[in-house]
Amino acid sequence: MELIVNGNRVEVEPEPGEMLAHLLRERLGLTGTKIGCEEAECGACTVLVDGEPILSCTYPAARAAGKSVLTIEGLADTYFVGRSQEGAEQQPMLHPLQEEFIRHGAVQCGFCIPGQIMTAYALLQHNPEPSEEEIRHALKDTLCRCAGYPSIIRAVQSAARRLRGEEPLPPLVAPVISESGRSQPSLHVIGTLQPRPDAVEKVNGTAKFTDDLKFPGMLHARVKRAMVPHAILKCLDVEKARALPGVHAVLTAEDIPGERNHGLVIFDWPILVGIGERVRYVGDAIAIVAAETREIATQALELIKAEYELQEVISDPVRARQPDAPQLHPKGNLLKHIKVRKGDVNQGFAEADVILEHTFHTAITEHAFMEPECSIARPTPDGRMEIYVGSQIPYADRHQVARALGWPDERVHVIGQLMGGGFGGKEDIAGQIHAALLAHATGRPVKLLFDRHESLLVHPKRHATQIRVKIGAKRDGRLTAVETELYGDTGAYASLGEKVMTRATTHSAGPYEVPHARADCYAMYTNNPPAGAFRGFGVTQSAFAIESIMDMLAHALRIDPIELRRINALRVGSVTNTGQVLRESVGLLDCIETVARELKQRAGENPFTSRIVEGQPHLRRAWGFAVAYKNTGLGGGAPDKAGAEVELYEDGSLEVRTSSAELGQGLVTVLRMIVAEEFALPPERVRVVVMDTDLTPDGGPTTASRQTFVTGNAARHAAQSLREALAASLAEKFDVSPERIRFVEGLAQVNGHTLTLGEVARIVRQEGRTPKAFYEYWAPKTQPLGTGGDMHFAFSFAAQAAEVEVNTLTGEVKVLEVISAIDVGKVINPLGLQGQFEGGIMMGIGNALTEHFIVENGIVITDRLARYRMPSIMHTPKITAYAVEHPVEAGPYGAKGVGEIVSIPTTPAITNAIYNAVGVRIDRLPVDQEVIVRELSRA
Amino acid sequence: MAIWTHYYIPQTLDEALSLLCREPQSKAIAGGTDLLLELQQGRHPPVRTLVDLSQIAALQRLEMSQGALWIGASVPLNRVIAWPPVRHFATALCEAISLIGGPQVRNVATLGGNVAHALPAADGAIALLALDAQVLVASPEGQRLQPLLACYAGPGKTALQRAEIIVAFQVPACEKEEASAFRRVMRPQGVAIAIENMGIWLRRKDERIEDIRIAVGPSGPMPFRARQTEQVLRGKPLDEETLAEAEKVLKSEARFRTSPHRATAEYRYHLAGVLLRQTLQTAWERTQLNFAEELGPLSVKG
Ligand SMILES: Cc1cc2nc3c(=O)[nH]c(=O)nc-3n(C[C@H](O)[C@H](O)[C@H](O)COP(=O)(O)OP(=O)(O)OC[C@H]3O[C@@H](n4cnc5c(N)ncnc54)[C@H](O)[C@@H]3O)c2cc1C
Ligand code: FES
Ligand code: FES
């Protein structure tokens, strides 16, 4: 057949069963079109056929015969045809939509971006002046999990204006509220609007994610999953699969040369379950296949026969703790009993005028990063193994792969790739080890790509929890005691379960000064998919419980909910419930006041009373309020360090290297800005290399909102050391004291004359040295839980208010507006921060209203994206965000973590608003509209 | 392992019919937004041959003739929505299909597929039923015009034979004093199929409902016509007494089930009353608008 692709005539014969996305990506090499689901749900694969947007993942290639296809790679050309291309050499040619997506910070991980831009382009073709409503409708099924939907809307509006010959819109960033009485250091780059270094490639389709890579001779792997939640594997027959033509290897547990388990903390997760061994969840692997094509590998899976002896399924953590429950692991079902003790809760409750007690439930939720997991393993001629993967912890991958192969770590080389979102879900091993085992066995490169179905089944989720809270307070609102009991469902394997549930527990009394606190948490193994890290790291769950009961308490005491929080808020000098004295950087009160002020402007003195929408008596509106805090960094005594290296090149550019992971959150921009700041030069002159274990020093895990702080500090110190070393060289050469040497605007000033940085690099090299510096930054020491010392080196704080509209007839809930103020210490990268603010709130809305990963008796019901709903652009409320700056002395320029705190108070702010609107207390997530109707009819 | 082996794109109806007759394990495909997903996910018996209906002129028809709209079975939904007569004279249908998927899905999905897929709460089908659409079906024996419900055999089961093709829908155009409306309730979690939807067509005479048709899904195995409720409303003014009676009858004649993780039967019975009142009210108000321009933007909340 013949078709036109991006203006070029192409002749190809469609293959049986071939979809257009496959034709474009695999046969024409146009990998800018992404595949997020292959079930017509996500929109990542959108291309235009004869001018109309369609989903190429479910569009038969044969159907494109005689048609004209436009992909992201061809978009810019449509704009430049017939236009002057002046300056095209220096500037990449981009369509105004592409440029505006960059300028407005709508590009985060970038995976959804080609689909967003193509869908928006089709809209603008038909409708050059779309309203916000029309933009939402057009992008309704084009999902972004980084969820900078407001930025996307503005980018489209701005591009539409430019295409109409009008002025573009300015990007929107959060206004900054500074701690009063603090002087601001003068900074050149920090706090300015900077595009992401990887933005251009992400908008024009040239960005390569792991599945976009191909190697000669590459085989395709697939994994045979147990698909039973709890069983003993009795027999396994892989002979037929081995015999299938095109199959190069079928491996089982016996074929693992090294250690047979993997894990991040505890090595309890079998790489492959062997005969006679225990299957603990449906996603357990029992065999892996490598074949010439993915189809053959899939066919081979069906030829593998397994027999199981089924066991009783443990489907919830409460059952797991009962003495007669079957034991899933040699040490039993209790992963960890976590305790927090402060003062004497009995005394606290005795002193209370009011005591409330309530139990809350939160559901399992799924990261649903837009890019499903993909790993490629490639044996190299020198006997090493390269792993191409988008991973949050490259060095842990290296270690785990090496262990499985029985090799020293150095023999494995992890080459981190762009990541289409992680949110905590790409910390554990997915396909890295399996791909490596198969590559080792076959001597060929092996790609292991999860489809969405497999991704949903296999990777660790957010812990479902049951949280009982008992709270006591004086009549004036002062808290006297908080007691919590948590059950966390950590699923089949430990993953980061212990750490997540520890954070849930230590934060379970909220950001309040409580004289007497006691918390007990039981992190239990079950036969559900494992639970691990997920943005918020346990605090999402406990914040929902404590912030709900705080509103209940406000109600019981007839105190304004904001006032109740003000009275009890942590402040400088407060002691947390783990015994930590907060000495600085506690911006909670400023966050509360900022949101309170905005609330008052919109809703007057009584934002928390229910209002009827005029003319629609069944619609009720009200605001709800919540606060939160979240640690930055690993804490609890874990050594928290990162290394970074900065090098100066003879062309005057700098390069900063670290293995910390960029998942879309914007670390690369932050590192670039920090190095540029230290040399007072334009950020474009700084390159950032991340995630390569050969080239870059260990940056530690990308988790716990730690990267800006820890890796940012490493980069800053490395840049400073380099600056000092350069100054020393110049001082010697020009015989001046090093203090007299200045670095400004890419130049070194020595005693009146100036040298370019390139010349400086040459001078140092002539001295036989390499102009580079490495710095290993160690975050301030922390103490383990229970010792009463500093468990964390910094906390971020937040206050949010949400306005909801509840339909009393159907129970439907809509979030209309969210006001947010977050104490981030210091704003380094405002555009990136805005993306975090917006995306965090959207994830909070999902957690409250749309997301429910359903597992029944160990069987995953939500095994397709169509059954697991993340918020779309249609759920996007009006968002007003403020950045509050209470700097941390040790943070880079005062900054602390932001990635998680932004999302945590959103859910309880929404559920509190629902209560205020209609009087129904939501104590189980996600909100069930049916329950609202039932409760209302009961009332 | 490929989900199909042969893909044909016939240009004429005869060609399509003969391919479907001739090729073993063959199946018609329009937009593929239901069929391809079912094949990919192993929820459909394997097929060898797909016969693509998207390029057959007879199935691409969009015209008004003798007081009826003729809507080709494989016209993409977005084109149906953009065709002014649908909005003016078959408002419920326009509303219903505007709610299906996003623009990418609507650029390929069709009404033929929505009906042939045979779900009891498909939005397009519920609106068509309320509008009393007739279906033009082609088979190797010739063409016939049949009522919509004759296309249904059970939940997800069409009464059409493999070598039968829906050519077009004939939808009577609303005349003066007539109007239609469609509404649905979704659940924010889980699949994007209405937990309940309703289409209403009515003719008004002064302050009374002269005639009315009500379609509801999912009540029973196929799209449901609430004939007893219609009977209660016929000839009545739209007052609280009538509404209360109609609501009672609707709840007794409809058959709602509990779908695990989606909705309980109890909730659906409750919603039936809500949807009845709201949809009826909207349709009633629309009868007073003579020109669809006055309709204003249709509600297209998803
Ligand atoms: C993201 C998404 C959201 C959706 N949302 C909704 C929604 O909100 N409401 C809703 O109702 N549906 C929804 N759907 C379902 C789907 O889009 C509709 O049912 C669509 O109308 C089916 O049309 P199609 O042309 O794609 O059918 P296909 O998938 O091509 O065909 C479906 C079936 O009909 C048969 N068929 C198709 N055309 C004919 C014909 N002319 N004659 C005989 N048989 C024929 C096919 O053989 C097949 O068995 C959604 C789907 C997706 C992917
Ligand atoms: S990949 Fe096509 S819609 Fe998700
Ligand atoms: S930028 Fe949209 S999914 Fe990451």
Side-chain angles (χ1 to χ4, degrees):
Chain A
M1 69 176 187
E2 206 179 276
L3 70 162
I4 311 266
V5 179
N6 297 331
N8 303 314
R9 277 230 318 239
V10 175
E11 268 217 50
V12 275
E13 279 325 300
E15 293 167 359
E18 190 177 29
M19 300 298 180
L20 181 58
H22 184 269
L23 175 74
L24 293 170
R25 289 178 51 82
E26 303 300 326
R27 298 213 279 153
L28 303 181
L30 296 170
T31 52
T33 299
K34 299 296 174 215
I35 296 197
C37 70
E38 281 189 298
E39 44 169 309
E41 280 296 322
C42 77
C45 64
T46 302
V47 301
L48 270 57
V49 173
D50 284 347
E52 300 292 349
I54 55 96
L55 301 172
S56 62
C57 71
T58 40
Y59 189 93
R63 205 174 215 192
K67 300 196 163 145
S68 171
V69 178
L70 182 67
T71 72
I72 189 75
E73 289 92 344
L75 180 64
D77 284 346
T78 65
Y79 182 69
F80 285 100
V81 166
R83 275 175 216 257
S84 101
Q85 299 191 2
E86 243 171 76
E89 274 86 74
Q90 300 95 44
Q91 296 277 328
M93 297 211 318
L94 295 177
H95 187 278
L97 265 168
Q98 294 170 317
E99 284 179 353
E100 295 307 304
F101 265 68
I102 297 179
R103 220 167 55 82
H104 287 270
V107 181
Q108 299 189 49
C109 81
F111 199 77
C112 74
I113 295 300
Q116 304 285 358
I117 291 180
M118 295 312 288
T119 315
Y121 172 73
L123 169 71
L124 297 187
Q125 290 295 102
H126 291 290
N127 182 354
E129 203 167 345
S131 65
E132 181 172 334
E133 218 33 46
E134 287 167 329
I135 295 172
R136 285 172 188 251
H137 280 287
L139 295 176
K140 163 176 188 254
D141 275 7
T142 310
L143 301 174
C144 177
R145 188 55 157 171
C146 302
Y149 290 127
S151 300
I152 291 176
I153 293 173
R154 277 177 81 78
V156 176
Q157 285 171 330
S158 190
R161 292 171 66 102
R162 278 184 55 192
L163 289 166
R164 299 196 302 266
E166 296 165 24
E167 284 297 303
L169 297 171
L172 190 73
V173 295
V176 173
I177 312 264
S178 302
E179 187 174 2
S180 61
R182 236 188 218 262
S183 66
Q184 293 288 323
S186 95
L187 297 167
H188 312 275
V189 181
I190 299 302
T192 63
L193 265 59
Q194 297 295 336
R196 300 176 59 96
D198 54 13
V200 170
E201 50 183 287
K202 284 177 174 174
V203 297
N204 70 11
T206 54
K208 294 273 178 270
F209 293 82
T210 311
D211 185 34
D212 301 334
L213 304 177
K214 268 188 188 168
F215 293 98
M218 188 170 81
L219 300 174
H220 296 267
R222 295 226 52 191
V223 181
K224 180 80 177 171
R225 307 272 169 201
M227 298 313 282
V228 292
H230 190 195
I232 304 298
L233 179 61
K234 281 292 168 193
C235 33
L236 183 60
D237 179 3
V238 299
E239 288 318 311
K240 280 210 182 93
R242 277 196 179 126
L244 185 72
V247 169
H248 287 253
V250 180
L251 304 181
T252 64
E254 296 156 21
D255 305 311
I256 301 171
E259 297 290 331
R260 288 180 46 167
N261 282 350
H262 68 90
L264 279 172
V265 182
I266 302 174
F267 294 90
D268 62 354
W269 192 335
I271 294 165
L272 288 161
V273 175
I275 292 169
E277 294 175 356
R278 191 178 295 272
V279 166
R280 297 186 182 87
Y281 87 113
V282 287
D284 266 332
I286 58 169
I288 47 179
V289 178
E292 286 295 333
T293 67
R294 191 170 166 87
E295 285 66 42
I296 297 173
T298 307
Q299 229 172 323
L301 292 188
E302 277 162 34
L303 299 175
I304 296 173
K305 293 288 167 258
E307 279 172 33
Y308 300 99
E309 188 180 294
L310 299 181
Q311 310 284 309
E312 182 199 326
V313 176
I314 302 182
S315 49
D316 74 82
V318 178
R319 167 73 186 131
R321 197 164 162 245
Q322 287 163 357
D324 66 328
Q327 301 297 297
L328 298 179
H329 286 273
K331 286 189 181 159
N333 294 340
L334 179 68
L335 170 61
K336 183 90 178 175
H337 176 188
I338 301 146
K339 298 178 207 167
V340 172
R341 302 285 184 265
K342 179 189 187 189
D344 173 4
V345 280
N346 294 331
Q347 185 196 332
F349 287 121
E351 288 167 11
D353 295 320
V354 177
I355 297 174
L356 295 181
E357 186 170 344
H358 201 92
T359 301
F360 300 87
H361 294 264
T362 68
I364 303 177
T365 59
E366 151 72 27
H367 308 79
F369 31 72
M370 293 306 300
E371 177 211 24
E373 298 90 330
C374 186
S375 306
I376 299 174
R378 189 167 86 111
T380 59
D382 60 356
R384 297 179 72 201
M385 184 69 72
E386 290 177 347
I387 308 286
Y388 297 80
V389 64
S391 159
Q392 289 183 240
I393 325 181
Y395 272 83
D397 287 6
R398 181 174 84 158
H399 178 59
Q400 297 194 70
V401 170
R403 271 184 103 229
L405 291 169
W407 291 0
D409 284 8
E410 294 70 30
R411 239 179 111 182
V412 175
H413 176 192
V414 175
I415 306 170
Q417 302 300 305
L418 285 180
M419 219 180 303
F423 313 109
K426 288 178 181 165
E427 299 193 20
D428 296 85
I429 283 293
Q432 295 90 322
I433 295 175
H434 290 155
L437 292 173
L438 288 165
H440 182 54
T442 60
R444 296 191 26 189
V446 173
K447 177 188 278 186
L448 201 171
L449 168 70
F450 283 10
D451 58 21
R452 181 57 65 179
H453 176 63
E454 194 167 16
S455 175
L456 286 164
L457 287 179
V458 174
H459 74 245
K461 316 292 172 205
R462 177 179 277 147
H463 289 72
T465 59
Q466 172 182 310
I467 306 177
R468 182 178 60 78
V469 192
K470 184 173 169 190
I471 195 164
K474 288 292 204 192
R475 224 175 308 274
D476 64 5
R478 273 176 305 131
L479 297 180
T480 59
V482 176
E483 181 185 273
T484 53
E485 183 192 56
L486 302 86
Y487 279 86
D489 177 357
T490 209
Y493 300 106
S495 177
L496 289 167
E498 174 189 336
K499 312 231 173 255
V500 171
M501 290 316 297
T502 301
R503 232 53 85 225
T505 313
T506 58
H507 287 68
S508 65
Y512 304 114
E513 175 141 30
V514 186
H516 306 286
R518 179 192 167 102
D520 288 275
C521 171
Y522 307 96
M524 304 301 302
Y525 286 114
T526 66
N527 292 120
N528 294 332
F534 190 165
R535 195 182 204 172
F537 219 76
V539 185
T540 310
Q541 294 94 313
S542 51
F544 166 63
I546 186 73
E547 286 305 288
S548 297
I549 209 163
M550 281 297 278
D551 254 37
M552 293 160 75
L553 182 64
H555 208 255
L557 292 169
R558 296 174 191 283
I559 295 180
D560 177 74
I562 297 182
E563 184 56 25
L564 181 65
R565 284 159 174 109
R566 235 181 236 131
I567 294 169
N568 294 291
L570 290 173
R571 52 203 87 203
V572 170
S574 296
V575 182
T576 68
N577 57 351
T578 64
Q580 176 166 359
V581 182
L582 299 175
R583 285 177 296 269
E584 54 157 3
S585 187
V586 190
L588 179 57
L589 281 169
D590 265 1
C591 294
I592 293 175
E593 296 317 328
T594 305
V595 175
R597 193 174 348 102
E598 287 283 325
L599 252 185
K600 199 166 169 184
Q601 270 180 18
R602 286 173 184 62
E605 295 298 330
N606 297 311
F608 306 123
T609 50
S610 176
R611 284 162 292 127
I612 292 177
V613 177
E614 229 188 83
Q616 303 200 277
H618 59 289
L619 300 180
R620 300 285 161 79
R621 290 182 180 177
W623 287 88
F625 189 82
V627 298
Y629 75 138
K630 172 73 183 60
N631 61 293
T632 296
L634 304 176
D640 203 346
K641 67 175 173 93
E645 192 166 59
V646 178
E647 181 167 353
L648 176 64
Y649 288 84
E650 295 188 17
D651 63 0
S653 67
L654 285 150
E655 185 169 278
V656 52
R657 296 185 281 262
T658 166
S659 83
S660 305
E662 168 60 37
L663 16 157
Q665 85 280 36
L667 176 69
V668 287
T669 324
V670 165
L671 295 178
R672 172 191 240 192
M673 290 171 77
I674 288 175
V675 173
E677 181 70 48
E678 293 304 320
F679 279 88
L681 90 177
E684 305 81 71
R685 300 262 298 273
V686 181
R687 281 187 306 279
V688 185
V689 175
V690 284
M691 304 190 279
D692 184 315
T693 58
D694 271 17
L695 301 179
T696 61
D698 191 356
T702 297
T703 189
S705 312
R706 63 184 283 279
Q707 286 299 8
T708 293
F709 193 102
V710 183
T711 304
N713 262 330
R716 185 181 187 192
H717 287 295
Q720 286 169 346
S721 311
L722 176 60
R723 214 177 54 199
E724 281 157 22
L726 297 176
S729 286
L730 294 178
E732 203 165 298
K733 182 164 172 99
F734 293 96
D735 198 20
V736 295
S737 77
E739 298 83 62
R740 311 261 317 260
I741 295 166
R742 295 230 167 306
F743 292 91
V744 234
E745 293 291 320
L747 300 169
Q749 296 173 337
V750 188
N751 236 2
H753 54 267
T754 56
L755 294 111
T756 64
L757 281 183
E759 285 165 339
V760 176
R762 275 189 291 279
I763 290 170
V764 176
R765 281 190 189 277
Q766 275 158 12
E767 291 171 359
R769 281 179 289 144
T770 313
K772 69 175 182 186
F774 169 74
Y775 194 92
E776 188 169 71
Y777 173 77
W778 288 75
K781 223 171 133 47
T782 57
Q783 300 300 327
L785 175 60
T787 59
D790 287 1
M791 226 189 128
H792 295 288
F793 51 75
F795 292 95
S796 300
F797 298 87
Q800 288 183 352
E803 188 190 22
V804 302
E805 179 180 288
V806 183
N807 183 326
T808 56
L809 295 175
T810 60
E812 291 167 294
V813 176
K814 238 195 310 206
V815 181
L816 304 173
E817 185 169 1
V818 175
I819 305 167
S820 173
I822 315 279
D823 172 18
V824 301
K826 171 78 195 169
V827 178
I828 292 194
N829 169 19
L831 213 48
L833 188 62
Q834 187 69 16
Q836 290 291 315
F837 282 168
E838 294 172 357
I841 288 170
M842 291 313 296
M843 227 175 223
I845 291 175
N847 188 58
L849 299 183
T850 71
E851 300 187 29
H852 192 187
F853 191 87
I854 305 171
V855 185
E856 244 179 30
N857 233 345
I859 303 295
V860 177
I861 307 292
T862 41
D863 63 344
R864 305 274 171 193
L865 205 59
R867 298 191 198 129
Y868 188 84
R869 295 253 139 224
M870 67 183 96
S872 78
I873 203 164
M874 301 300 283
H875 295 93
T876 310
K878 177 169 182 236
I879 292 175
T880 308
Y882 286 89
V884 171
E885 292 186 335
H886 281 227
V888 188
E889 191 56 41
Y893 314 99
K896 51 192 178 183
V898 297
E900 300 173 281
I901 185 69
V902 288
S903 191
I904 296 171
T906 314
T907 298
I910 291 170
T911 54
N912 285 340
I914 293 173
Y915 181 84
N916 294 336
V918 294
V920 176
R921 172 54 59 195
I922 303 294
D923 55 15
R924 190 178 282 272
L925 293 177
V927 174
D928 185 339
Q929 63 195 36
E930 225 186 293
V931 168
I932 294 183
V933 172
R934 205 178 304 143
E935 293 291 318
L936 285 175
S937 65
R938 210 172 279 163
Chain B
M1 273 299 292
I3 60 174
W4 68 80
T5 311
H6 304 292
Y7 197 92
Y8 292 104
I9 311 183
Q11 303 292 316
T12 68
L13 194 53
D14 286 346
E15 218 183 312
L17 287 170
S18 65
L19 279 166
L20 285 172
C21 289
R22 190 185 74 202
E23 297 287 322
Q25 284 185 292
S26 62
K27 181 90 184 165
I29 176 170
T33 61
D34 282 322
L35 181 61
L36 291 175
L37 299 185
E38 292 196 329
L39 285 168
Q40 268 174 339
Q41 297 172 13
R43 289 184 281 125
H44 191 286
V47 299
R48 253 174 68 81
T49 300
L50 288 179
V51 179
D52 186 312
L53 304 181
S54 67
Q55 318 234 324
I56 302 168
L59 274 68
Q60 288 291 333
R61 186 171 167 201
L62 271 185
E63 66 184 47
M64 279 280 276
S65 140
Q66 297 176 339
L69 290 77
W70 286 88
I71 302 172
S74 58
V75 181
L77 298 180
N78 266 344
R79 277 189 47 218
V80 180
I81 297 165
W83 187 44
V86 169
R87 190 184 149 98
H88 296 182
F89 306 115
T91 316
L93 180 63
C94 191
E95 274 177 310
I97 60 181
S98 299
L99 296 171
I100 294 178
Q104 298 101 315
V105 166
R106 291 194 302 271
N107 276 328
V108 295
T110 68
L111 271 182
N114 199 257
V115 169
H117 191 51
L119 291 185
D123 293 314
I126 289 294
L128 286 172
L129 184 61
L131 292 165
D132 200 25
Q134 302 288 303
V135 187
L136 183 64
V137 178
S139 73
E141 287 78 46
Q143 300 199 358
R144 62 176 191 272
L145 199 59
Q146 66 180 42
L148 185 82
L149 287 180
C151 296
Y152 288 82
K157 267 192 76 177
T158 175
L160 298 167
Q161 301 301 303
R162 194 183 71 197
E164 288 187 336
I165 292 176
I166 301 178
V167 179
F169 298 91
Q170 183 206 37
V171 184
C174 279
E175 300 189 6
K176 213 163 168 295
E177 305 287 300
E178 296 176 357
S180 65
F182 175 90
R183 266 182 194 255
R184 69 177 191 184
V185 176
M186 303 290 283
R187 184 182 163 83
Q189 306 95 24
V191 287
I193 296 177
I195 52 179
E196 194 165 323
N197 53 6
M198 186 176 293
I200 292 183
W201 167 92
L202 61 80
R203 183 188 309 126
R204 173 170 176 169
K205 184 128 199 257
D206 305 323
E207 287 309 304
R208 284 172 193 279
I209 299 168
E210 188 177 56
D211 196 8
I212 184 164
R213 285 187 299 269
I214 302 173
V216 194
S219 161
M222 52 187 82
F224 178 71
R225 263 290 291 280
R227 292 182 191 273
Q228 295 171 22
T229 314
E230 294 169 5
Q231 197 47 44
V232 167
L233 288 161
R234 236 171 245 127
K236 300 272 174 54
L238 194 64
D239 55 19
E240 180 50 38
E241 194 187 326
T242 316
L243 280 172
E245 175 64 10
E247 191 178 327
K248 211 176 84 199
V249 173
L250 178 59
K251 286 180 181 173
S252 76
E253 72 169 323
R255 289 283 166 269
F256 295 116
R257 289 195 307 122
T258 293
S259 324
H261 315 300
R262 288 183 49 69
T264 62
E266 181 197 1
Y267 182 51
R268 283 188 163 131
Y269 278 105
H270 166 80
L271 290 179
V274 176
L275 285 173
L276 178 69
R277 284 164 182 271
Q278 293 184 339
T279 320
L280 198 49
Q281 187 64 34
T282 309
W284 177 261
E285 283 163 14
R286 281 183 186 156
T287 56
Q288 290 179 314
L289 307 172
N290 279 325
F291 299 102
E293 276 77 12
E294 293 171 37
L295 280 172
L298 293 178
S299 108
V300 272
K301 69 178 189 122

